[in-house]
Amino acid sequence: MKVKLPDGGIKEYSGAVTPGQIAKEISESLYRNAVGAVVNDQLWDFERPIDFDCELRIIKLSDPEAVEIYRHTMSHIMAQAVIRIYGTDKVKLGIGPTIENGFYYDFDIEGAKITEEDLPKIEEEMKNIIKEDLKIERFEMGKDEAIEFMKNRGQNYKVELIEGIPDEKVTFYRQGEFIDLCRGPHLPSTGKVKHFKLLSISGAYWKGSEKNPMLQRIYGTAFAKKEELDSYLKMLEEAKKRDHRKLGPQLDLFFINTEVAAGMPIFLPYGMAVLGELMTLSRELHKKYGYKEVGTPLIMHEKLWRQSGHWEHYKDNMYFTEKEEITYAVKPMNCPGHILIYNNKPVSYRELPIRLFEFGRVHRYERGGVLHGLLRVRTFTQDDAHVFCREDQMVDEVSNIVRFINELYGIFGFSYRATLSTMPEDHMGEKATWDKATEALRDALEKMGVPYEVAEGEGAFYGPKIDFHVRDILGREWQCATVQMDFQMPERFELVYKDSDGSERRPVMIHRALYGSIERFFGILIEHFAGAFPTWLAPVQAVVLPVSEKYVDYAREVAVKIDEEKIRVELDDRNETLGYRIRENQMKKVPYMIIVGEKEKGLSQISIRTREGKDIQGVRVEEFLSKLKEEITTRSIKSTIE
RNA sequence: GCCAACGUAGCUCAGUCGGCUAGAGCGGCUGACUUGUAAUCAGCAGGUUGAGGGUUCAAGUCCCUCCGUUGGCUCCA
């Protein structure tokens, strides 16, 4: 039996061997730092025997693959602690997987409910288990035996899980008195990773279905090094500080009146200034990329929505209004409106592609529990467009959109991740059509050199799509842009164009939004920039501060000059000390403070204090203005005045 | 909708075991000060303690219902 190592070396064994033994042969320190192995691309337990030819790589605690292993083990340690505290006959276990930044475990605890206050207690017990450094052992059991085993222990959820496993045998892991059904792999012992924190508690339906009982879920996270845990916790704290729901009202951008308009943010003048800039940018680029802006009604006759299929598929999320016994729907999407425009006149193949764009205000009913600041709302404005084109134009059109996205996101300094979602089980239309459209999306991505992942079966039922997830400065991802192919709408509305040979043909329809929702994008920007917007976006771009009352006239003069250049400027001549006003404007994150007093007035100059705290003295107003204008018109992310 | 926590002045928060007229800082208003790079000083106003019901001699505090928020679940054309 041959084992090939990453360095190309080959070790030969006559019988079964574990990664642990191999690691020990290589070096003692590797053995000590190892947590598992990758055997033929599969994660493998450190002490699980191998009895076949394979490629093997030892995973050290610091390797990326280790994360999954030790977090999974940590979830077992947590489950063990919970059982110790609440009693083995009281606790029924659900599932306990790793997730993006940590892990969770679901519990059904008889006669007790866990609250946040119980977390320290559970953490204590987890520390004990870690200290005990219990050996973690893997073993297999026949399915029937396993079911019997779990039945005896009253673990009905586990029984259900085992019944759902197709294999003949299932695997278990044991650490001390704790045994759990698990695919693994796990750490060799509970003492290997020490740095963890339990974060929160929530309810979670068994198997995610509302029909099933609700279990209690504990979320936690774990890291190999203390510094990593600390920096993750710090990131959470930083995210909390940047929370747009806090910064929004604080910076007078928007607020939400939950009594009369839950899920419907109210924008204040400063907030509208930012949204206005986002819209101006969007309009400029839409023009550049060949779109025509249109406007469609907020409410339209119910029959339109019956024809579009929304009535059937989306009614629960729609708002309605009625007058003179006619029911109107408040639009949840803009596509039917754009289709009316397409169908308004006969279309020739020469006119295609037709690209219709709208800042479409849509309303969608969302259940109360899901509303979240600007990110999950009941009304929002999409930078929505529909491209009607011939089949042979699909790749070019999608490429055009990708190019657009690159330019748009580049302005904010966002990188992104793209996912291509393919045909779901429940779909409409021919597989051949799906394949053609999916290929068009794929071709465009490849042509544009955009890396992407494929999400099999995740497409909308009416067509495949590409989603773009932007990554913000804290590394969090937000789904913004989406490009969706649609074969349903053209059918339902009998869209046609006259082809060169005189025949009538059906156009392809592409739905796409780039910001997604401008309000939501705004929310993301607030958090990304922590409220300190680049100058072009800042609600107030400069504020003029006279040192005292005596210089208010000069300050006003300066402010007028700035205002004449269409720069958003304010005069802060409140009867407060200079220090006080500086502090206030600093906290409002105004990019530039213009300070004028005796010195400046005499020389027709200004002093500038930047948001970063830099002090620049003796500048001519014109000089400042030309630099500031440059910074704004180029939409620079960084301050250029220093 | 479901699970859990929370809801006191515009904001951030205190309020003990149920016990006097519910407090503080910031903010606001008024006045003084006339200010040179992150908070000048003084005075004043501001509350149906989310709403409703209950227990009690007595409720911000305990119980119930509702509303809302937060973290999740669910949903998401």
Side-chain angles (χ1 to χ4, degrees), chain A residues 256 261-267 298 317 319 330-332 360-366 371 373-382 517-520:
Chain A
I256 296 172
M264 304 190 180
I266 296 170
F267 290 94
L298 230 55
N317 285 291
Y319 288 97
V330 181
K331 69 175 174 183
R361 181 75 175 260
V362 296
H363 289 72
R364 297 179 184 178
Y365 173 75
E366 300 280 0
L371 300 176
L374 296 181
L375 302 184
R376 194 66 191 271
V377 291
R378 286 180 176 153
T379 178
F380 56 98
T381 311
Q382 292 180 304
S517 140
I518 60 173
E519 294 89 344
R520 181 166 190 273

Side-chain angles (χ1 to χ4, degrees), chain A residues 73-88 91 93 103 105 107 109 114 118-130 132 134 175 177-179 190 196 198 218:
Chain A
T73 296
M74 198 57 84
S75 94
H76 277 208
I77 293 174
M78 179 169 77
Q80 186 172 15
V82 168
I83 288 175
R84 281 189 183 179
I85 292 168
Y86 294 91
T88 178
V91 180
L93 299 175
F103 59 88
Y105 215 117
F107 304 97
I109 302 174
I114 303 173
D118 298 322
L119 294 184
K121 196 169 62 191
I122 297 167
E123 284 180 345
E124 270 320 298
E125 194 53 45
M126 288 172 72
K127 282 179 195 158
N128 289 337
I129 294 167
I130 290 169
E132 288 163 27
L134 303 167
Q175 57 198 49
E177 81 284 2
F178 178 79
I179 296 174
T190 60
F196 72 97
L198 299 186
I218 303 179

Side-chain angles (χ1 to χ4, degrees), chain A residues 141-305:
Chain A
M141 218 187 267
K143 231 171 104 173
D144 294 341
E145 196 190 341
I147 290 171
E148 204 48 39
F149 177 74
M150 280 303 183
K151 263 190 187 154
N152 286 338
R153 298 183 145 226
Q155 295 291 347
N156 51 320
Y157 300 107
K158 293 293 180 188
V159 170
E160 205 179 320
L161 286 177
I162 297 168
E163 282 168 348
I165 296 173
D167 307 338
E168 282 303 297
K169 286 180 169 177
V170 293
T171 56
F172 284 84
Y173 282 79
R174 181 201 338 240
Q175 57 198 49
E177 81 284 2
F178 178 79
I179 296 174
D180 196 6
L181 169 78
C182 188
R183 193 183 295 120
H186 281 278
L187 296 175
S189 74
T190 60
K192 280 270 178 189
V193 174
K194 305 179 171 65
H195 310 293
F196 72 97
K197 175 113 183 107
L198 299 186
L199 298 171
S200 63
I201 278 180
S202 76
Y205 298 107
W206 168 240
K207 287 189 170 172
S209 167
E210 260 171 284
K211 295 182 193 84
N212 289 335
M214 184 167 272
L215 310 180
Q216 285 190 279
R217 175 172 299 178
I218 303 179
Y219 285 92
T221 192
F223 289 88
K225 293 194 186 122
K226 185 167 189 309
E227 302 85 71
E228 289 175 322
L229 175 64
D230 289 346
S231 85
Y232 178 71
L233 295 176
K234 211 184 268 169
M235 192 278 282
L236 288 184
E237 207 142 294
E238 179 62 25
K240 216 186 235 171
K241 259 190 264 167
R242 288 163 175 254
D243 193 326
H244 73 284
R245 291 167 303 179
K246 215 178 156 81
L247 286 176
Q250 222 167 65
L251 299 175
D252 293 323
L253 301 172
F254 69 90
F255 66 93
I256 296 172
N257 182 324
T258 55
E259 295 285 308
V260 303
M264 304 190 180
I266 296 170
F267 290 94
L268 296 161
Y270 284 170
M272 275 318 290
V274 180
L275 287 177
E277 288 294 345
L278 292 178
M279 291 199 278
T280 302
L281 168 64
S282 175
R283 284 202 166 99
E284 265 173 39
L285 292 179
H286 274 93
K287 196 172 166 212
K288 174 172 169 184
Y289 285 91
Y291 290 79
K292 301 286 185 215
E293 186 169 351
V294 296
T296 62
L298 230 55
I299 61 171
M300 288 185 274
H301 198 291
E302 65 167 282
K303 63 187 175 192
L304 179 73
W305 304 101

Side-chain angles (χ1 to χ4, degrees), chain A residues 317-493:
Chain A
N317 285 291
M318 290 166 70
Y319 288 97
F320 297 93
T321 177
E322 189 247 275
K323 199 79 187 171
E324 289 177 342
E325 283 163 36
I326 297 170
T327 302
Y328 298 85
V330 181
K331 69 175 174 183
M333 286 175 215
N334 305 297
C335 20
H338 292 181
I339 285 169
L340 293 179
I341 295 172
Y342 182 94
N343 265 348
N344 186 41
K345 275 187 181 178
V347 175
S348 149
Y349 72 97
R350 293 174 208 273
E351 294 171 70
L352 298 178
I354 291 175
R355 309 187 186 100
L356 301 178
F357 155 67
E358 173 175 6
F359 282 121
R361 181 75 175 260
V362 296
H363 289 72
R364 297 179 184 178
Y365 173 75
E366 300 280 0
R367 291 154 111 180
V370 306
L371 300 176
H372 182 95
L374 296 181
L375 302 184
R376 194 66 191 271
V377 291
R378 286 180 176 153
T379 178
F380 56 98
T381 311
Q382 292 180 304
D383 59 332
D384 200 6
H386 295 90
V387 177
F388 302 89
C389 67
R390 294 183 259 123
E391 271 187 21
D392 62 288
Q393 295 172 319
M394 287 193 297
V395 176
D396 280 348
E397 284 310 303
V398 177
S399 304
N400 188 49
I401 294 167
V402 173
R403 217 170 287 127
F404 192 161
I405 290 172
N406 286 341
E407 179 166 1
L408 182 70
Y409 287 2
I411 289 167
F412 301 96
F414 282 138
S415 59
Y416 63 76
R417 188 171 61 87
T419 52
L420 173 64
S421 299
T422 61
M423 189 171 79
E425 290 273 314
D426 177 24
H427 62 271
M428 295 182 90
E430 300 294 312
K431 185 169 183 300
T433 328
W434 274 85
D435 289 346
K436 222 184 292 174
T438 310
E439 278 322 297
L441 291 174
R442 193 190 296 272
D443 284 357
L445 286 171
E446 275 170 14
K447 199 174 122 197
M448 296 300 298
V450 174
Y452 62 94
E453 295 150 30
V454 176
E456 292 293 349
E458 294 289 305
F461 78 87
Y462 55 77
K465 62 174 181 172
I466 308 172
D467 289 322
F468 295 80
H469 311 259
V470 312
R471 198 171 291 126
D472 75 12
I473 205 157
L474 297 180
R476 298 171 302 177
E477 287 195 350
W478 310 92
Q479 202 235 296
C480 292
T482 177
V483 180
Q484 312 189 345
M485 304 302 248
D486 184 353
F487 322 121
Q488 279 306 306
M489 288 288 174
E491 287 289 333
R492 281 176 176 272
F493 284 92

Side-chain angles (χ1 to χ4, degrees), chain A residues 466-618:
Chain A
I466 308 172
D467 289 322
F468 295 80
H469 311 259
V470 312
R471 198 171 291 126
D472 75 12
I473 205 157
L474 297 180
R476 298 171 302 177
E477 287 195 350
W478 310 92
Q479 202 235 296
C480 292
T482 177
V483 180
Q484 312 189 345
M485 304 302 248
D486 184 353
F487 322 121
Q488 279 306 306
M489 288 288 174
E491 287 289 333
R492 281 176 176 272
F493 284 92
E494 299 174 345
L495 301 188
V496 291
Y497 66 89
K498 194 75 119 191
D499 209 351
S500 53
D501 60 3
S503 63
E504 287 203 326
R505 307 196 60 139
R506 191 131 288 165
V508 177
M509 185 173 175
I510 306 172
H511 304 246
R512 48 107 289 189
L514 307 186
Y515 288 137
S517 140
I518 60 173
E519 294 89 344
R520 181 166 190 273
F521 198 80
F522 181 23
I524 294 166
L525 289 177
I526 294 172
E527 306 207 351
H528 179 66
F529 292 116
F533 297 104
T535 308
W536 71 277
L537 273 176
V540 180
Q541 295 168 315
V543 60
V544 185
L545 307 178
V547 168
S548 83
E549 221 171 67
K550 281 182 270 181
Y551 313 106
V552 171
D553 286 344
Y554 179 62
R556 182 166 294 125
E557 217 175 281
V558 172
V560 166
K561 269 192 203 161
I562 299 173
D563 179 66
E564 279 168 354
E565 299 294 339
K566 308 231 186 317
I567 288 162
R568 292 184 290 273
V569 65
E570 287 188 355
L571 175 66
D572 186 354
D573 59 353
R574 286 177 300 172
N575 185 17
E576 299 285 354
T577 60
L578 183 63
Y580 178 88
R581 285 174 290 149
I582 285 173
R583 181 165 196 274
E584 288 253 302
N585 285 289
Q586 184 82 41
M587 290 196 307
K588 290 283 179 193
K589 317 207 185 214
V590 178
Y592 299 107
M593 287 178 240
I594 311 302
I595 293 159
V596 295
E598 187 64 39
K599 272 184 290 183
E600 290 80 6
K601 187 178 173 184
L603 296 164
S604 286
Q605 290 181 337
I606 57 173
S607 290
I608 303 161
R609 184 193 157 99
T610 69
R611 184 160 59 185
E612 289 73 36
K614 263 184 224 137
D615 180 18
I616 309 158
Q617 308 238 355

